[in-house]
Amino acid sequence: MAAGARVFPFRDARWAPDPVLEPSAAVRSPQPVPLVIDNGSFQTRAGWASPDPAVPAEPLLRFRSLAAKSRGARGGAGAETQVGNDLGSPEPLRWLLRSPFDRNVPVQLELQELLLDHVFQRLGVASQGCVDHPIVLTEAVCNPLYSRQMMSELLFECYQVPKVSYGVDSLYSFYHNRRQSWPCSGLVISSGYQCTHILPVLEGRLDAKNCKRINLGGCQAAVYLQRLLQLKYPGHFAAITLSRMEEILHEHSYIAEDYIEELQKWRSPEYYENNMHKMQLPFSNKLLGSTLTSEEKQERRQQQLRRLQELNARRREEKLQLDQERLDRLLYIQELLEDGQMDQFHKALVELNMDSAEELQSYINKLSLSVEQTKQKILQAEVNIEVDVVDSKPETPDLDPLGSEQSLEDVESINEFEPLFAEEQPEVEKPVAAVQPVFNLAEYHQLFLGTERIRAPEIVFQPSLIGEDQAGIAETMQYVLERYPKEQQAILVQNVFLTGGNMMYPGLKARVQKELLEMRPFQSSFQVHLASSPVLDAWYGARDWAVEYMAREEGWITRKDYEEKGGEYLKEHCASNVYVPIRLPKQPPRAAEASAPSRVVTGNPSEQA
């Protein structure tokens, strides 16, 4: 099968609710082991950090960092809050979904508390009134002090944790994938759901002064792809959802090594046919061609014929009633002539637009004949209902001399249905396959992915594609490198490290190598490494750090530190942010205090005056 002929159905996978896990005894003995939480804006991952092989060395919980609160019945009864995988599918609840993050910084602490409650409950933390395990929690690069303060307050005041350690997710991933003796230097490029960061690391420590952030990530790529396909297929506007766009990005998109050159390739019909992916939207087969058997078709014709007969009988009865009322009116006017009431008779003729009694009599005769014929037709139709009329054609009424307008309507309605009830001829019946629509309904519900496969992920290199006035990864990387002397630049480019869920596109490593080759001096060397697991390495690195520093005091914020130094306090370590304490400016002396010193007044004030 040719590559261009492949059709990929959307999986539309539903999230399975997280089970309540029973922790092993090694989690609590001889002392409670740390609980590692990778608090990402896209996904939360949690698990235990223990050197004991009985404890799994992988995240036990993985769920989207989302919560939804249903309104329930009136008065608030029955309201329910669902978190993460308990949502099942995000699309039916898209308008109810809420996230504790603004970009990659948690700001809604009540929602963050729901996520932590979900983690502790599903991991089986059974301590009463508190969480007696140390917590290792990831935070954003250069996290605002207020956000850390609120998080520390939540952990120490609400959950009564003994100690906590904060670290940067991309630095944990860098720590987990270190390829030489630690400490080492490198340039970390991390791209996640909301943001992309360029982080220089010198001698194992983050150089926070030269960190740069690009406010673009997987979320913006999904929204851009959704907009492209909705403009291309307006007939499937509602079916092009964000969840399906994320699936396309994860499984069908790639980064072009040379974007302009790749677009030129897509102009070729052969290249388009060989590399285009077709995404099959769900549709109903009920709209396809008829698959009825001949018996079902005949039964349907009989039902339609019965309905037509009932309709014609109802029309005849209405016509008979109307003609009978007209006839009674004309007979009453004729009685006026016989009784000698000439004034009323002539007045009635004028109302009927008639000139003489002869014209009145002629109209009465025609109307009487029409009434009799209609009565006969009604009687004949009642007899025909009891007879098998499958092979008979519906009766075509005669044109009446009066009321010809209604008779013509009857004839036209009969003629419209006459092709449906033609005489059955089984020997020349057309096959069922001939009754097919003029277009392929399955193909109508397909999305053809051509240049969209490279246009959506390209925004991290060219933010101008979506109208963002920002620099891309290549320009930002060059700007960061130029802030260092040439010797340090050469050290940094020897270990360019790519991590984050938005770095998993095929071809991204080759694109970064190409950009570095263009910006570095001639014949200079550099190395680009991709994380072994860009999505999970942050959690693995945090676990590695927790196991190594479990018995040390370095990097851990105790409750005593929290009470003495405030919630924004941070103990630095190899994968943490740089702590910048709040320095309040000195208050200038007041104007009154700046003047001459006040004198002590004694005695009678009037005497002093």
Side-chain angles (χ1 to χ4, degrees):
M1 181 181 296
R6 289 178 297 177
V7 179
F8 302 89
F10 284 105
R11 290 183 288 106
D12 292 337
R14 291 184 59 85
W15 304 336
D18 296 316
V20 178
L21 304 175
E22 290 292 336
S24 62
V27 170
R28 300 195 58 83
S29 61
Q31 60 182 0
V33 301
L35 175 59
V36 179
I37 302 175
D38 181 10
N39 193 32
S41 60
F42 178 75
Q43 193 178 60
T44 300
R45 308 166 190 92
W48 303 105
S50 173
D52 195 322
V55 179
E58 59 184 15
L60 302 178
L61 284 182
R62 296 176 61 184
F63 59 90
R64 288 288 296 272
S65 302
L66 296 171
K69 184 176 181 181
S70 59
R71 293 182 177 179
R74 288 188 176 180
E80 181 183 4
T81 301
Q82 296 176 319
V83 177
N85 293 331
D86 292 344
L87 294 169
S89 177
E91 293 309 326
L93 303 172
R94 179 66 67 180
W95 62 287
L96 288 174
L97 296 180
R98 297 178 65 194
S99 171
F101 292 89
D102 181 7
R103 294 293 181 178
N104 60 334
V105 178
V107 294
Q108 301 288 340
L109 270 299
E110 65 276 7
L111 296 177
Q112 183 65 60
E113 184 178 354
L114 291 177
L115 299 185
L116 293 177
D117 286 343
H118 184 78
V119 169
F120 298 144
Q121 178 188 6
R122 299 308 168 94
L123 286 181
V125 178
S127 52
Q128 295 295 329
C130 68
V131 176
D132 55 356
H133 292 269
I135 302 295
V136 178
L137 190 68
T138 61
E139 64 177 6
V141 180
C142 301
N143 192 34
L145 295 182
Y146 178 75
S147 177
R148 186 184 302 127
Q149 177 185 356
M150 298 301 294
M151 186 67 73
S152 295
E153 181 179 343
L154 178 64
L155 292 173
F156 284 110
E157 301 293 345
C158 181
Y159 296 107
Q160 305 292 323
V161 299
K163 56 184 179 179
V164 64
S165 176
Y166 297 106
V168 180
D169 51 0
S170 52
L171 296 183
Y172 278 134
S173 179
F174 184 64
Y175 180 79
H176 178 70
N177 288 270
R178 58 190 185 275
R179 289 176 169 80
Q180 56 187 3
S181 59
W182 190 266
C184 59
S185 301
L187 189 67
V188 179
I189 304 177
S190 172
S191 184
Y193 189 59
Q194 294 283 0
C195 299
T196 299
H197 292 93
I198 312 294
L199 311 177
V201 178
L202 294 173
E203 296 300 326
R205 295 296 292 123
L206 174 68
D207 185 8
K209 293 183 179 179
N210 294 319
C211 292
K212 295 300 173 184
R213 182 178 77 170
I214 306 170
N215 289 322
L216 291 174
C219 176
Q220 289 74 24
V223 172
Y224 180 47
L225 179 60
Q226 182 186 37
R227 188 168 60 201
L228 289 176
L229 292 181
Q230 284 178 342
L231 290 173
K232 187 176 181 180
Y233 299 98
H236 304 307
F237 191 90
I240 301 174
T241 62
L242 278 177
S243 297
R244 289 172 177 165
M245 298 305 100
E246 291 171 359
E247 181 179 337
I248 291 176
L249 287 175
H250 294 165
E251 301 180 7
H252 302 278
S253 297
Y254 67 97
I255 294 288
E257 185 173 347
D258 189 316
Y259 183 67
I260 302 300
E261 182 181 346
E262 189 72 14
L263 288 180
Q264 293 296 329
K265 292 180 181 179
W266 278 99
R267 297 181 64 181
S268 169
E270 294 80 7
Y271 188 87
Y272 179 85
E273 290 296 329
N274 293 330
N275 294 276
M276 177 260 299
H277 285 191
K278 299 178 182 178
M279 303 302 300
Q280 182 66 63
L281 292 170
F283 64 97
S284 176
N285 286 322
K286 295 181 180 180
L287 299 178
L288 291 174
S290 175
T291 57
L292 301 177
T293 63
S294 58
E295 292 79 6
E296 293 174 341
K297 288 182 180 180
Q298 188 154 336
E299 178 64 26
R300 179 171 295 184
R301 290 193 183 97
Q302 293 179 6
Q303 294 176 0
Q304 291 175 343
L305 181 58
R306 294 191 193 99
R307 287 197 297 268
L308 182 60
Q309 289 176 340
E310 294 172 359
L311 177 63
N312 288 338
R314 193 180 306 114
R315 288 182 176 178
R316 291 192 186 102
E317 292 174 357
E318 294 174 356
K319 179 177 178 296
L320 176 62
Q321 182 179 1
L322 183 60
D323 290 347
Q324 188 65 47
E325 291 176 356
R326 291 177 179 174
L327 181 60
D328 293 341
R329 172 64 177 169
L330 296 179
L331 292 176
Y332 171 74
I333 295 175
Q334 192 177 33
E335 291 177 359
L336 293 177
L337 176 62
E338 295 174 354
D339 296 341
Q341 302 178 11
M342 301 303 297
D343 294 339
Q344 297 182 8
F345 175 73
H346 288 296
K347 184 178 179 179
L349 285 182
V350 172
E351 292 177 356
L352 294 175
N353 198 18
M354 293 184 182
D355 298 330
S356 62
E358 291 78 8
E359 186 177 355
L360 174 64
Q361 185 61 42
S362 174
Y363 199 83
I364 290 176
N365 295 336
K366 293 179 180 179
L367 198 55
S368 300
L369 180 60
S370 175
V371 169
E372 291 299 327
Q373 290 179 350
T374 304
K375 288 181 179 179
Q376 293 178 4
K377 292 176 183 178
I378 292 176
L379 293 176
Q380 184 65 29
E382 292 176 354
V383 173
N384 290 341
I385 290 178
E386 302 177 359
V387 181
D388 186 10
V389 293
V390 175
D391 296 329
S392 64
K393 295 184 179 179
E395 179 185 5
T396 303
D398 298 332
L399 295 179
D400 297 329
L402 296 175
S404 59
E405 183 176 356
Q406 289 81 3
S407 299
L408 287 175
E409 291 178 359
D410 290 346
V411 173
E412 291 174 358
S413 63
I414 294 295
N415 290 337
E416 290 177 2
F417 286 90
E418 187 172 4
L420 298 176
F421 309 115
E423 187 172 356
E424 196 72 30
Q425 298 179 1
E427 63 278 5
V428 294
E429 184 179 2
K430 294 183 179 180
V432 175
V435 188
Q436 290 291 338
V438 295
F439 63 95
N440 189 340
L441 194 60
E443 186 174 345
Y444 173 72
H445 287 82
Q446 289 176 0
L447 306 180
F448 287 51
L449 300 179
T451 56
E452 293 84 7
R453 296 178 59 196
I454 61 173
R455 291 177 67 184
E458 181 67 20
I459 64 171
V460 293
F461 288 94
Q462 300 186 56
S464 59
L465 291 176
I466 59 174
E468 290 288 340
D469 187 15
Q470 301 183 55
I473 288 180
E475 294 87 348
T476 307
M477 184 167 50
Q478 184 175 8
Y479 176 80
V480 171
L481 288 175
E482 288 177 350
R483 296 174 69 88
Y484 294 95
K486 294 183 179 180
E487 294 77 11
Q488 287 186 336
Q489 289 185 26
I491 295 174
L492 290 175
V493 297
Q494 289 303 317
N495 189 12
V496 178
F497 180 71
L498 310 179
T499 185
N502 203 41
M503 286 288 175
M504 299 180 65
Y505 295 113
L508 191 140
K509 181 179 178 181
R511 175 66 174 271
V512 174
Q513 290 174 337
K514 173 182 175 295
E515 300 291 349
L516 277 171
L517 184 63
E518 292 178 354
M519 72 177 67
R520 296 299 297 157
F522 178 64
Q523 290 185 345
S524 62
S525 62
F526 56 85
Q527 294 184 14
V528 179
H529 305 288
L530 181 64
S532 57
S533 177
V535 174
L536 297 178
D537 276 356
W539 187 91
Y540 289 136
R543 177 192 175 276
D544 295 343
W545 183 92
V547 171
E548 183 177 351
Y549 288 81
M550 187 184 304
R552 306 184 192 178
E553 294 184 359
E554 180 183 353
W556 294 102
I557 306 170
T558 63
R559 185 172 185 85
K560 183 179 179 181
D561 295 329
Y562 165 72
E563 293 173 350
E564 291 181 355
K565 302 176 182 178
E568 70 277 0
Y569 177 66
L570 172 69
K571 273 191 178 180
E572 298 182 8
H573 56 86
C574 61
S576 72
N577 279 307
V578 177
Y579 177 53
V580 181
I582 300 178
R583 294 184 176 89
L584 297 177
K586 293 182 180 180
Q587 295 292 338
R590 296 181 180 178
E593 296 175 356
S595 61
S598 60
R599 293 176 297 174
V600 179
V601 179
T602 59
N604 192 340
S606 61
E607 295 177 0
Q608 298 291 335

